[in-house]
Amino acid sequence: MRVIRWSLILMTLVSVMADTMLLPFYPQFFEESFGVSDPAHAGWYIAACCTTVMLCFPLWAKVARRWHELPLWVVTQSVSAVLGVMCYLTESLLTFWIVSQLMLMMKASYLLIYPFAIRLEGTGKIGGFVALFAVLMHIGTISGAVLGGYLLQFWDGRDAYLVMIASDLVQIVICIALMLALKIRLTEPGYTPAEVADTPRSPMVMKLAVVAMLFYFSVFLIRPFFTLYWADISFAPWNGEFPSSLVYAIPAIIALLTVVWQRIKAPQLTSQQLLIRGLLVILVGLVLQGLGDPLWTVIGRLIFGWGLFMGVVHIEVLLFAHSRPERFGEDFSRVHLGQNIGIILASFAAGALVSDVSHIAVFAAATAGIVAVVMVAWRLGVFARTAGPEEPDHSIKDAEEAIS
């Protein structure tokens, strides 16, 4: 079990780092690689990426009922590596759009790592494992943003696809090694369709999907053009791509420090209480970032990072608290659908706001969005405590125990 756990951790880190390198820099990437300077184009592309993943992930979850996840990932990662080579070589914008979306269709299967790992771990440490994967996502985001900024400033944005290809190859090797060690067969699912059908579905799952949609819409509004916003309000030498990537990564760094602090002093609050606190902290962070001052923006990023981590972790803790192992993949795909709808809408809205109004308008819209999240979550009963024998340990302190 420990070998599987560490292998999944490594796969998650590698994939997140590689796949998020260009996320803060798509406006610069399209201008440098294809001569497209319209900021709305980057918003449309990010929206298309989210749509592709959103539609394909539930399909991969159904495929995983028949095929074991490990051989499935070998196939999808192999195809992804080939498509990554085509993305690196093409000089046609249309070809890049088509091939990159096909590549994301394959990469959508990677999301099965999350419910697969939690299903293996069992329900006893769901809170800790959710926090662990949130930390892994943030570590990958930090590494990806810094590496992406470095490539764009000192090399070529296309080189990011070479890193993606290398990450696919690393994951293929890991999966094959695990298959050989565990003697995994191709058609060996972790659960049967009959077991899924016999498991009741919680109505709270769809409520959390709605909350996740509004939450991710709000927090993702400021992402696509944040590095451009920082370049506008800062001054040399802090307005280059590499320094911008460091400021962009501040929330991820704060997430890591939050885990360290809560390892020392574990919170004595429920996930519902921590979610409310996180949303209120996000509001403060958004207001400070939208003041247009570099110092207040950095302070706002620090505050925003803490709230963002609390929001992401405890929405998912509540999801798995209301789900069952047989439905983890299916229920997670529903909440993930809500997340991606929010991200898609945010991509469209961010591009329109930046083009027609200003960068600061994005922060105002995001603030209003978080207020809406609080109101809707309260109305749907998400903040109401639901204690029971199946309720997991919500302490983030378990994150370290989950990998020990």
Side-chain angles (χ1 to χ4, degrees), residues 70-302:
L70 289 174
L72 175 62
W73 291 328
V74 171
V75 174
T76 56
Q77 288 159 353
S78 299
V79 177
S80 176
V82 174
L83 294 171
V85 173
M86 297 176 65
C87 286
Y88 174 74
L89 295 176
T90 186
E91 296 183 359
S92 166
L93 180 61
L94 177 60
T95 301
F96 173 81
W97 265 73
I98 295 173
V99 174
S100 63
Q101 296 309 306
L102 292 174
M103 183 178 69
L104 285 171
M105 290 175 62
M106 299 295 106
K107 287 183 178 291
S109 66
Y110 302 177
L111 293 172
L112 290 170
I113 294 177
Y114 193 20
F116 173 66
I118 294 179
R119 191 175 76 241
L120 290 178
E121 195 70 16
T123 59
K125 291 185 177 180
I126 289 180
F129 223 75
V130 169
L132 167 63
F133 269 80
V135 170
L136 295 178
M137 295 292 289
H138 281 84
I139 293 175
T141 300
I142 293 171
S143 304
V146 173
L147 181 57
Y150 180 83
L151 289 174
L152 278 167
Q153 184 161 350
F154 300 108
W155 294 85
D156 190 304
R158 290 178 181 269
D159 293 338
Y161 285 91
L162 296 178
V163 178
M164 293 181 194
I165 296 167
S167 75
D168 288 330
L169 297 177
V170 169
Q171 293 174 80
I172 291 171
V173 171
I174 294 174
C175 289
I176 292 176
L178 286 175
M179 288 174 60
L180 294 175
L182 302 175
K183 299 180 180 179
I184 298 297
R185 297 185 308 236
L186 182 62
T187 55
E188 187 179 337
Y191 50 89
T192 66
E195 289 174 333
V196 175
D198 293 338
T199 305
R201 180 181 294 114
S202 170
M204 182 58 70
V205 172
M206 294 308 298
K207 294 179 181 179
L208 288 169
V210 173
V211 171
M213 179 185 69
L214 294 173
F215 177 80
Y216 278 80
F217 169 79
S218 304
V219 298
F220 267 79
L221 270 175
I222 69 173
R223 283 195 176 190
F225 303 99
F226 179 81
T227 55
L228 294 178
Y229 171 70
W230 176 257
D232 286 343
I233 66 173
S234 61
F235 46 86
W238 302 104
N239 55 359
E241 284 85 355
F242 184 63
S244 297
S245 69
L246 296 177
V247 178
Y248 177 88
I250 285 176
I253 297 172
I254 292 301
L256 301 181
L257 296 177
T258 300
V259 172
V260 173
W261 167 249
Q262 294 190 339
R263 172 59 184 169
I264 299 172
K265 184 178 181 180
Q268 303 300 316
L269 301 174
T270 66
S271 282
Q272 291 88 345
Q273 292 169 330
L274 289 170
L275 177 57
I276 295 173
R277 177 181 292 187
L279 293 172
L280 297 178
V281 170
I282 287 174
L283 284 174
V284 176
L286 287 171
V287 170
L288 294 180
Q289 289 180 83
L291 294 178
D293 179 82
L295 178 59
W296 283 115
T297 298
V298 170
I299 295 173
R301 294 294 280 176
L302 294 169

